[in-house]
Amino acid sequence: NSLKAISARLGKIAEADGRQAQSVTYIMRYSLSPVTFTRWIDVETKLILREYMEAPGHHMLSIYSGYNEPVTIVVPGISEIGPTPTAIILPQP
């Protein structure tokens, strides 16, 4: 069962993050709910600058940058990691 766009359309070329970008909107179905995606694609480089997803009860914006930069992961220090709070319920007398 592969997912396919059921609708797609080109939007206007406008500025996104200081670049001229073409918007592309498409709809996909997950279960019975439609999910709408819009991507803003840099006209010059053809790289995705932004992507917005809208679904029932879920909205998400992703901003893409730093293409071809090395990936770095910063491990948190001990002072940044704390225990998970645990509720203590005392028995009633």
Side-chain angles (χ1 to χ4, degrees), residues 29-44:
R29 285 206 181 274
Y30 291 97
S31 297
L32 299 175
S33 301
V35 179
T36 302
F37 294 86
T38 300
R39 290 182 175 176
W40 288 266
I41 302 168
D42 187 311
V43 173
E44 183 181 326

Side-chain angles (χ1 to χ4, degrees), residues 13-14 19-22 40-47 49:
I13 294 176
R19 310 280 305 177
Q20 289 295 302
Q22 172 80 57
W40 288 266
I41 302 168
D42 187 311
V43 173
E44 183 181 326
T45 65
K46 310 301 186 232
L47 295 172
L49 301 174

